[in-house]
Amino acid sequence: MGTNDNKNDDNARLKFQNGTIAAFDDGHIPDTQIENGPSKIVQNQRKQSKKFLEVSQNVLDEDLADTIYDLCMKKIGGSKAWGTYVTILDTERDDIPQLSELVSLIDYHNGEPNIGKSMEKVQHALAVMVVRQFLLNKNAPVRRFLSDDIASGAIHGVGVWALSSCIDTQVEYHIDYAEMIRYEHNIIIPPMYGGTLHCTRGKIGGGEFCVNNRGLEHYELHGYK
């Protein structure tokens, strides 16, 4: 367990039940942390599986994938980019609407001034369905890699982001982490695991599918964006 003092509040301390804190300079210091010097990172997280790669086909039900695709492409109400946090407890609830109910709710609220709040509930429910199918269901493709961590409570939840992109767009090199904690405390907390789902029935032409399995070692070499 590691701790870190927040210079803005001597009584505020961050405690980590999994991992240790070490100095880590990726070339970026948030504007809110200029006075606090180089960043730190949580490393050596205990987890069931390390450095594995799984590529699977047809992970989500087609209707669910289609709904997410349409939502991101603004074919139905909402935003082209959205995100939410799904706890493991969320996935165990039995009051999550059926997909057909969510689509009807989207259609009903489409164009209303308060669509934002309505869509947040829809997006979260869709994200719960994705986490169930991708990670937790009996036939989920990566469940065998995570089952011990889920059972032990090491995995609290999943951050879900839905994004769309056009031809020839690109994302700068980066790692995902808890951004709020970095901007408040200048500590990088990488996720225990990461995954990407492509929700389209269209064929992808050209390009290469590449994965670097050197993790933080590779990021430390190349730095922030």
Side-chain angles (χ1 to χ4, degrees):
M1 179 173 67
T3 60
N4 177 68
D5 289 323
N6 180 355
K7 294 185 178 181
N8 296 322
D9 183 353
D10 292 336
N11 295 320
R13 298 177 68 84
L14 285 177
K15 296 183 179 181
F16 300 96
Q17 301 297 328
N18 187 3
T20 56
I21 296 179
F24 191 91
D25 185 5
D26 63 353
H28 173 65
I29 300 178
D31 293 339
T32 55
Q33 296 293 323
I34 296 296
E35 297 180 358
N36 292 346
S39 301
K40 297 180 177 66
I41 194 168
V42 174
Q43 59 184 16
N44 301 320
Q45 297 184 68
R46 298 181 302 278
K47 54 186 180 179
Q48 175 184 344
S49 304
K50 296 181 179 180
K51 289 192 175 182
F52 73 92
L53 171 65
E54 177 81 0
V55 180
S56 303
Q57 303 291 333
N58 304 317
V59 172
L60 301 182
D61 292 341
E62 288 186 348
D63 289 344
L64 176 57
D66 287 347
T67 302
I68 294 170
Y69 176 85
D70 289 343
L71 199 63
C72 289
M73 297 305 295
K74 283 192 171 180
K75 291 185 177 180
I76 51 180
S79 168
K80 294 190 72 172
W82 53 271
T84 188
Y85 184 76
V86 176
T87 67
I88 298 300
L89 289 177
D90 286 339
T91 68
E92 297 171 352
R93 293 172 52 182
D94 57 9
D95 60 347
I96 299 298
Q98 297 294 314
L99 183 60
S100 58
E101 296 178 61
L102 293 177
V103 173
S104 298
L105 187 62
I106 294 170
D107 291 339
Y108 177 76
H109 287 290
N110 206 359
E112 288 190 1
N114 64 344
I115 191 172
K117 289 295 182 182
S118 302
M119 289 307 303
E120 286 178 8
K121 295 179 180 179
V122 171
Q123 290 160 355
H124 186 78
L126 289 172
V128 169
M129 294 178 183
V130 168
V131 172
R132 284 174 176 169
Q133 293 187 21
F134 185 42
L135 300 177
L136 302 179
N137 286 356
K138 183 178 180 179
N139 297 323
V142 298
R143 180 180 174 83
R144 66 184 185 278
F145 297 108
L146 316 177
S147 56
D148 290 349
D149 290 326
I150 294 171
S152 69
I155 295 178
H156 176 270
V158 183
V160 178
W161 284 99
L163 305 170
S164 62
S165 61
C166 301
I167 296 174
D168 295 328
T169 57
Q170 60 184 9
V171 177
E172 291 183 284
Y173 178 82
H174 70 287
I175 62 171
D176 291 321
Y177 53 73
E179 293 187 13
M180 184 182 72
I181 292 180
R182 181 160 199 191
Y183 281 91
E184 290 184 350
H185 302 277
N186 204 18
I187 296 179
I188 302 168
I189 306 181
M192 291 177 66
Y193 302 101
T196 301
L197 290 168
H198 294 276
C199 297
T200 176
R201 297 195 191 188
K203 294 182 178 180
I204 299 176
E208 293 180 294
F209 176 71
C210 302
V211 176
N212 187 297
N213 63 5
R214 290 170 57 194
L216 294 176
E217 174 191 348
H218 190 266
Y219 179 66
E220 188 173 24
L221 177 64
H222 292 279
Y224 180 85
K225 298 188 179 183

